[in-house]
Amino acid sequence: RDAGRVLRDEGLSFDVVHTSVLARAIETANIVLGEMGLSWLPVRRHWRLNERHYGALQGLNKKDTSDKYGLDQVHLWRRSYATPPPTLEMTDERHPSRDARYALLAPEQLPASECLADVVDRVLPYWYDAIVPDLRAHRTTLVVAHGNSLRALVMHLDRIAEEEIPDLNIPTGIPRRYELDDSLNVVSVRYLGDEDAVQAAAGRVARQAG
C-alpha cells in the first residue's frame, strides 16, 4: 500500500502493468493499483518475470538449508552471478512442470534451478518482446516483479557488470522510477519515497542474503 501511495503522491499514473504469474507480485500489483485508483488497467502476466528458481533449495528455510549445505555454500548460491543451486529432478513434486500455471509450456522450457545469469537470459526476451513495445508506444509502464527478476532488468538498464551485480540489493516494496530517452537509454533513475526507508529496506534484503 505504501508503494501505491508514494506513486500517487509523485503524481504518477500508468497505462499498462507487467507482472509475474506468482501470487506475491499479482497481489502487490493489485494493491498498488487499488491505492492509485487504477484497478481497471490492463495487467499482463508472464512467467518470465517470475522470481528466480532456487532448484532443490525451493521451499527450504535458510536455517535448514545452511545446516545441510553450510553457510558459505548457501551464500554462494544466493548471491553469485553464475553458480546455480542443485537442480530439481523432473520427478520432484516441486518441479514447475507439475504446476498448472505452466501447463502450456514444454517441460524443458521451465527452469529447474537458476543462477542470476539464467534469470537475465529468461527476463530479457520479455523485456524486448513485451515491455519495449509498450515503451516505444509511449505507454507509461509499471513492472511489478521480484528481487531477482528486477535485478536482471536493473542490470540491463543500468549496464551493471557481472562482477558488481551480486552486491546490488533491490529494496522490497520501494518504487524505482526510470526516465528513458527515445533510444531507451536511461536519462534518470531514482527510488521514490523517504531515503532512510529506502536504505533500511535495502539493508534488510542484504541481511536476508547473508
Side-chain angles (χ1 to χ4, degrees), residues 18-22 44-50 105 126:
H18 295 267
T19 189
S20 75
V21 296
L22 299 179
R44 300 172 186 170
R45 299 173 184 164
H46 204 281
W47 67 274
R48 287 188 177 275
L49 291 177
N50 281 7
L105 296 173
Y126 188 77

Side-chain angles (χ1 to χ4, degrees), residues 16-31 33 39 41-50 101-102 105 126 130-131 134 142-146:
V16 66
V17 184
H18 295 267
T19 189
S20 75
V21 296
L22 299 179
R24 286 169 295 167
I26 292 170
E27 291 166 4
T28 298
N30 289 341
I31 291 169
L33 294 176
S39 297
L41 276 185
V43 178
R44 300 172 186 170
R45 299 173 184 164
H46 204 281
W47 67 274
R48 287 188 177 275
L49 291 177
N50 281 7
R101 283 173 284 201
Y102 315 113
L105 296 173
Y126 188 77
I131 300 175
D134 280 333
L142 175 65
V143 178
V144 183
H146 308 268

Side-chain angles (χ1 to χ4, degrees), residues 95-121:
H95 194 281
S97 62
R98 295 173 176 265
D99 191 318
R101 283 173 284 201
Y102 315 113
L104 298 181
L105 296 173
E108 59 270 20
Q109 198 174 0
L110 297 169
S113 178
E114 291 179 306
C115 58
L116 182 57
D118 297 321
V119 180
V120 172
D121 289 342

Side-chain angles (χ1 to χ4, degrees), residues 146-168:
H146 308 268
N148 284 291
S149 48
L150 291 174
R151 285 170 77 208
L153 284 177
V154 170
M155 180 181 181
H156 173 70
L157 287 168
D158 293 8
R159 295 185 171 88
I160 299 174
E162 292 179 11
E163 60 271 18
E164 297 174 358
I165 195 65
D167 296 323
L168 176 69

Side-chain angles (χ1 to χ4, degrees), residues 36-191:
M36 299 183 72
L38 296 174
S39 297
W40 51 271
L41 276 185
V43 178
R44 300 172 186 170
R45 299 173 184 164
H46 204 281
W47 67 274
R48 287 188 177 275
L49 291 177
N50 281 7
E51 177 57 292
R52 171 187 169 188
H53 196 292
Y54 280 92
L57 308 185
Q58 200 90 335
L60 301 178
N61 65 43
K62 186 177 178 184
K63 182 181 185 305
D64 291 343
T65 307
S66 298
D67 288 345
K68 183 174 181 179
Y69 297 104
L71 280 171
D72 290 344
Q73 182 62 65
V74 172
H75 181 73
L76 177 66
W77 284 331
R78 288 180 64 91
R79 296 304 274 189
S80 73
Y81 181 70
T83 305
T87 301
L88 276 181
E89 298 293 335
M90 288 284 289
T91 54
D92 195 302
E93 290 293 331
R94 296 172 293 168
H95 194 281
S97 62
R98 295 173 176 265
D99 191 318
R101 283 173 284 201
Y102 315 113
L104 298 181
L105 296 173
E108 59 270 20
Q109 198 174 0
L110 297 169
S113 178
E114 291 179 306
C115 58
L116 182 57
D118 297 321
V119 180
V120 172
D121 289 342
R122 162 163 62 81
V123 167
L124 285 187
Y126 188 77
W127 161 258
Y128 286 115
D129 294 344
I131 300 175
V132 164
D134 280 333
L135 296 173
R136 292 207 180 280
H138 303 289
R139 301 185 184 106
T140 305
T141 303
L142 175 65
V143 178
V144 183
H146 308 268
N148 284 291
S149 48
L150 291 174
R151 285 170 77 208
L153 284 177
V154 170
M155 180 181 181
H156 173 70
L157 287 168
D158 293 8
R159 295 185 171 88
I160 299 174
E162 292 179 11
E163 60 271 18
E164 297 174 358
I165 195 65
D167 296 323
L168 176 69
N169 297 299
I170 302 289
T172 303
I174 307 290
R176 183 176 175 90
R177 180 181 184 180
Y178 281 90
E179 293 185 45
L180 308 174
D181 64 18
D182 289 341
S183 299
L184 301 185
N185 296 311
V186 177
V187 174
S188 67
V189 56
R190 64 185 176 97
Y191 285 109

